[in-house]
Amino acid sequence: MVKAVVLGAAGGIGQPLALLLKANPLVTELGLYDIVNTPGVAADLSHIATPAKVEGYLPPDDGLKKVLTGADVVVIPAGVPRKPGMTRDDLFKINAGIVRDLATGIATAAPKAFVLVISNPVNSTVPIVAEVFKKHNVFDPKRLFGVTTLDVVRASTFVSEILNDLGLSKDIVVPVVGGHSGVTIVPLLSQSSHTLPSSLSTAQYDTLVNRIQFGGDEVVKAKDGAGSATLSMAYAGAEFAGKILRALKGEKGIIAPSYVSLLADTEGAAVLTKELGETVQFFSTPIELGTEGVVKINPLGKITEAEQTLIKAAIPELLKNIQTGVEFIAGAKTEEPRL
């Protein structure tokens, strides 16, 4: 029996994500939570002929505690989507409190669950969850993940476009490391499973890197004020959650990039830190998954000079983002969760 929970299940990411999890045969119970509309979303999904029993909860009557009780995997897409003109700092100010309150609920009702954070900005919200868990003495770095899968999905798609064959997109694997916003997103195109054309110019390479890093802006602009990447993020979130579920069931050798605490594997972290030339608390790199969560943090391996330059540009921004999350909890007053 596996219980998956979506916190923020009635939103633009939450609804399609819940649909994809309902369709996953490994899920036997699906708990949904949001501040509005969750019972209706649950009723709708419950008619789909798959094994998962679906229940939806709202804040009244300990809804958050009820939905989290018995949870094995908790996915957090809750929060406000980015809109045109909104900076990541603006987004943080809105979403930080939401993530803190949900993390408090998880710490008290489902401290052993695998927690998958989608709420942006991930570079800062994952440290928020970690700090909340530390305050409750339940922090297990092996069980906390920032979902960076959308960057990997975009890289695969954009490389297949350059190769003029979208049919390859499901087979193309490009490791994407660093963080999950702007310059902190570093695609290791030299390690792509499908080699880029030798005719690709430096300018074309730079354009491809920039598109992977700022693909979210492309969607925000195209939606013209109606939101950000929701459907592609739901797909990516379900893809990563699916890998977590398979690992939970005992499947071996599953590797996927994720933004994790380097405390999850101190041996692997030591190698990665040496490669980076600087100590960071959180970093996205290909990790091996197992029944306990993070089994191994893999090194970057051989990268090009251009990729080394990208990583050097990413680290200062990443350090700032992490500190923002840590300081938010350090300066927060103890209060009851709002959600």
Side-chain angles (χ1 to χ4, degrees), residues 98-120:
I98 295 171
V99 172
R100 174 200 60 206
D101 296 342
L102 294 174
T104 300
I106 298 167
T108 54
K112 297 294 186 182
F114 290 168
V115 180
L116 284 55
V117 181
I118 290 174
S119 305
N120 275 319

Side-chain angles (χ1 to χ4, degrees), residues 37 57 88 102 110 252 292:
N37 301 333
Y57 296 88
R88 284 177 172 81
L102 294 174
K252 306 288 187 182
E292 70 270 41

Side-chain angles (χ1 to χ4, degrees), residues 224-243:
D224 196 21
S228 57
T230 54
L231 300 174
S232 55
M233 185 64 250
Y235 170 84
E239 282 283 296
F240 186 70
K243 290 178 180 179

Side-chain angles (χ1 to χ4, degrees), residues 6 27 59 64 89 92 119 170 184 196 200 209 243:
V6 180
V27 177
L64 183 57
D89 286 341
F92 176 80
S119 305
K170 284 290 286 182
T184 70
L196 292 170
L200 195 74
V209 169
K243 290 178 180 179

